[in-house]
Amino acid sequence: MNPLAQLMFSHIAKTPEDYEALYPPRDLPPGAKVTRIAPSPTGYLHLGVLFGATVDRLAAGPPGNGGVFYFRLEDTDKKREVAGGADDILASLLAYGVTIDEGFTAPGTEQGDYGPYAQSRRAEIYHCYAKQLVEQGLAYPCFCSEEERAQARTSQEAQKLRTGYYGAFALCRNLPVEESMARIQAGEPYVVRLRAPGSEDRRIRFDDQIKGTIEMPENDEDLVLLKSDGIPTYHFAHAVDDHLMRTTHVIRGDEWIASTPKHLQLFALLGWKPPKYCHHATIMIEDAQTGGKRKLSKRKDPEAAMQYFTEQGYPAESVSEYLMTIVSSDFEQWRARNPGAPRSDFPFSLKKMSVSGALFDPVKLTDVSKGVISRMTAEQVAGAVTDWTQKFDPELYDLLIYSPDYTIGIFAIDREGSKPRKDIAKWSDVRDYVSYFFDEIYQPEMALPENIAPVDAAAILEAYTPLYDPEQDKQAWFETIKAMSPALGFCPEVKAYKADPAGWKGHAGDVSTVIRLAVTGRRNTPDLCSIMKLLGSEKVLARLKQAKESIK
């Protein structure tokens, strides 16, 4: 038995073989993938995390299809941990339709045979494998102080060498075992480092499932495996956890490509087959100051936090649908062919992911969201808007809940049919969209088009008021408008007006615009006949009168 390993890990009773038996290979159907998301509980859900989780879920396939997508928590950095952060991230993922098969599957719920799924509760497992590496001479205690490390970095920079703990700068690499044991017994703090067998002069090649074959220098740095408090570094915990949890595909941002040689080396030294690595492009955003593209920033960009989309009132479905346009290059073509199909039907392939920066485009998000909302039923829109306003717009909430049928009626106008209107992109747009339905927030405005004189507008309202019939349908209403137009100097047909514009003041559409302005204060609205039916004759007549008086 290696005396140094026994001294360093006297508390470890289990062997690697014990853990191999405890966490056996999964019984998976051919081709099934095991993917994971492993966030740190340091705050809110980031758009990049949702993007990555979406890809992981797609790669594993829909729940019950043979693949596994699990949630592992990297909670070893207690200084940065936010209370309730893990539950907040998980709840947000579920709200955006990212379901979890194993690990932390819901706030307060952990399930699966490969746990514990929080790294803070896996210390003995990491120590067991660190002990094995020390026994094999592949790891050692390092007693270098921060001052010594700083001096080494200064020397490396002065010599224009890359910084790091390697070669002649790995001061503790070749300490005699006796000296190391004596320093440990004396209570001197230390970290556990890998004795890397690599050389920067040698190259490694690996097949990235998204970017193709990548060639890089071999790792020669004696990276830290366990910090002085016994907590593992990301590199070491990643290797141990992904092996024992039997992850088949590690999907992550391409900022991790530089670390892949370290991870492949760890898997090789531990005697394990590595997972397949899949590095996707980082989400970029246009910089308003420079006009160039940069990485989406937690500090600079409100869009980085999913809370931003909640506060703005973007439906989760809209954000998820938009993310799919970034995730896969062929999603939009598929959606055009399958407008009503669930996203789970999309034949996702890692090979179809972009190898360059994926640009977050708020204009495109708005367009996608309008499409999503246009396909909702009036009841769904009314329910979602009511829920959102309860938290973010209490005044509008009180108006909406006063008469639920009236509220549903608002959103039902022009919603049915092959080409529903796309006026709403997010729930914060609704106040303006519905304002003319509620006297409490309605702001009358008779801003006439340039081609309509005030005297003609007043004459139109004077002529229409006695003709107003709340029982008319859309066709009968517009026939009334056309019939009254000639006497006012307006052509009843648009085509006839275009043939002889000098002979008329305008056309029937201009007449209806004046009435629309009088009733809603808008030039552009959904079907005006339907709006007037919902408002009721008393309110319509009052607004016609008020508008006519305002012109005078």
Side-chain angles (χ1 to χ4, degrees):
M1 182 175 292
N2 184 309
L4 177 59
Q6 185 58 32
L7 176 64
M8 294 169 65
F9 299 101
S10 59
H11 60 292
I12 297 300
K14 283 189 170 67
T15 66
E17 291 72 24
D18 292 328
Y19 288 113
E20 294 294 326
L22 185 61
Y23 305 114
R26 295 174 184 267
D27 184 16
L28 300 170
K33 297 180 179 66
V34 179
T35 64
R36 47 73 166 173
I37 181 174
S40 300
T42 54
Y44 57 80
L45 177 65
H46 185 279
L47 183 63
V49 175
L50 177 61
F51 176 81
T54 299
V55 177
D56 279 300
R57 176 74 272 177
L58 288 165
N65 201 42
V68 178
F69 171 48
Y70 70 90
F71 185 115
R72 183 174 77 217
L73 192 63
E74 296 186 353
D75 62 341
T76 55
D77 190 347
K78 295 301 180 182
K79 292 181 180 178
R80 297 177 60 232
E81 184 170 338
V82 175
D87 283 351
D88 288 345
I89 291 172
L90 183 52
S92 296
L93 286 174
L94 297 175
Y96 283 93
V98 181
T99 54
I100 314 294
D101 300 317
E102 181 180 299
F104 293 95
T105 55
T109 302
E110 182 179 352
Q111 61 184 35
D113 297 329
Y114 290 81
Y117 293 90
Q119 289 184 338
S120 60
R121 292 188 281 121
R122 297 174 62 83
E124 287 191 10
I125 300 175
Y126 306 128
H127 289 191
C128 173
Y129 285 99
K131 178 180 181 180
Q132 178 190 39
L133 291 173
V134 174
E135 287 176 338
Q136 296 172 341
L138 296 173
Y140 61 91
C142 170
F143 304 92
C144 290
S145 65
E146 281 299 317
E147 291 76 13
E148 288 174 309
R149 293 293 302 118
Q151 290 174 2
R153 281 192 293 272
T154 300
S155 175
Q156 288 168 334
E157 290 168 354
Q159 299 176 62
K160 296 185 178 180
L161 299 173
R162 64 183 166 85
T163 58
Y165 200 87
Y166 63 91
F169 300 99
L171 302 180
C172 294
R173 180 183 177 101
N174 296 314
L175 285 180
V177 170
E178 294 77 11
E179 180 181 343
S180 294
M181 293 181 65
R183 295 174 74 168
I184 291 171
Q185 289 169 331
E188 194 170 335
Y190 64 91
V191 300
V192 179
R193 287 187 181 273
L194 180 73
R195 182 175 277 112
S199 169
E200 196 185 31
D201 297 331
R202 295 195 295 266
R203 312 284 288 181
I204 65 164
R205 292 163 60 93
F206 64 94
D207 183 24
D208 189 288
Q209 299 296 292
I210 295 174
K211 296 184 179 294
T213 301
I214 295 177
E215 183 175 303
M216 300 180 70
E218 201 173 45
N219 175 62
D220 66 346
E221 185 175 352
D222 287 3
L223 56 97
V224 175
L225 303 179
L226 299 177
K227 290 177 273 190
S228 58
D229 56 5
I231 292 175
T233 59
Y234 168 79
H235 302 300
F236 188 48
H238 150 71
V240 173
D241 290 344
D242 280 327
H243 170 68
L244 292 181
M245 294 180 185
R246 309 299 174 173
T247 308
T248 65
H249 291 68
V250 171
I251 303 171
R252 58 191 185 184
D254 53 15
E255 68 270 21
W256 288 103
I257 290 177
S259 298
T260 306
K262 296 182 175 70
H263 300 161
L264 290 172
Q265 186 177 75
L266 279 168
F267 274 94
L269 295 178
L270 288 162
W272 301 331
K273 178 183 176 180
K276 295 182 184 299
Y277 285 99
C278 321
H279 294 95
H280 58 71
T282 303
I283 295 182
M284 311 291 284
I285 193 168
E286 285 190 358
D287 192 300
Q289 295 182 336
T290 66
K293 297 178 183 178
R294 58 170 173 78
K295 184 178 177 182
L296 191 67
S297 166
K298 289 183 180 181
R299 183 173 57 84
K300 295 180 180 179
D301 305 310
E303 300 92 340
M306 297 313 300
Q307 182 64 23
Y308 166 82
F309 300 99
T310 301
E311 292 171 356
Q312 290 294 308
Y314 284 99
E317 175 73 10
S318 295
V319 179
S320 298
E321 184 83 2
Y322 169 69
L323 278 181
M324 286 299 299
T325 69
I326 303 178
V327 165
S328 187
S329 61
D330 58 344
F331 176 76
E332 288 181 82
Q333 293 87 346
W334 176 85
R335 173 56 76 203
R337 297 191 303 269
N338 305 275
R343 284 190 302 278
S344 57
D345 287 354
F346 173 65
F348 173 74
S349 169
L350 289 166
K351 301 294 184 183
K352 293 289 186 178
M353 293 193 70
S354 172
V355 297
S356 57
L359 181 66
F360 174 77
D361 183 353
V363 175
K364 189 170 184 178
L365 169 61
T366 294
D367 184 59
V368 168
S369 191
K370 285 181 177 180
V372 168
I373 292 174
S374 75
R375 293 190 292 271
M376 294 181 178
T377 66
E379 289 79 7
Q380 287 174 325
V381 174
V385 170
T386 301
D387 289 343
W388 183 85
T389 55
Q390 185 174 18
K391 183 174 182 181
F392 296 104
D393 192 344
E395 181 189 24
L396 182 57
Y397 170 76
D398 289 339
L399 296 173
L400 294 175
I401 65 170
Y402 182 76
S403 175
D405 289 341
Y406 183 75
T407 297
I408 292 172
I410 293 172
F411 298 112
I413 298 173
D414 282 356
R415 184 157 292 276
E416 301 298 330
S418 58
K419 293 184 178 180
R421 291 180 65 93
K422 297 181 178 180
D423 299 280
I424 304 171
K426 53 189 182 300
W427 306 138
S428 55
D429 296 341
V430 168
R431 168 179 274 267
D432 179 66
Y433 178 74
V434 305
S435 61
Y436 53 82
F437 285 101
F438 301 99
D439 288 340
E440 294 85 347
I441 57 175
Y442 174 54
Q443 296 291 330
E445 185 175 351
M446 281 299 288
L448 294 170
E450 292 182 1
N451 65 314
I452 300 177
V455 64
D456 290 321
I460 290 170
L461 297 179
E462 182 73 30
Y464 176 70
T465 300
L467 299 177
Y468 165 64
D469 180 358
E471 300 303 320
Q472 285 183 325
D473 61 19
K474 185 189 303 187
Q475 184 175 351
W477 175 80
F478 197 59
E479 289 300 326
T480 298
I481 301 302
K482 291 197 292 184
M484 62 179 275
S485 294
L488 297 165
F490 290 82
C491 185
E493 301 292 343
V494 175
K495 287 184 179 179
Y497 169 73
K498 288 182 177 180
D500 181 24
W504 303 92
K505 296 177 180 178
H507 53 74
D510 296 318
V511 174
S512 67
T513 294
V514 173
I515 299 170
R516 191 184 307 275
L517 278 166
V519 175
T520 69
R522 311 285 179 84
R523 295 186 192 182
N524 180 31
T525 70
D527 175 52
L528 182 57
C529 184
S530 299
I531 290 171
M532 291 193 295
K533 280 182 179 293
L534 193 60
L535 287 171
S537 57
E538 182 180 347
K539 191 170 292 187
V540 170
L541 289 170
R543 290 187 181 181
L544 290 171
K545 179 181 178 182
Q546 181 183 13
K548 185 170 59 176
E549 292 174 349
S550 71
I551 294 174
K552 293 177 179 178

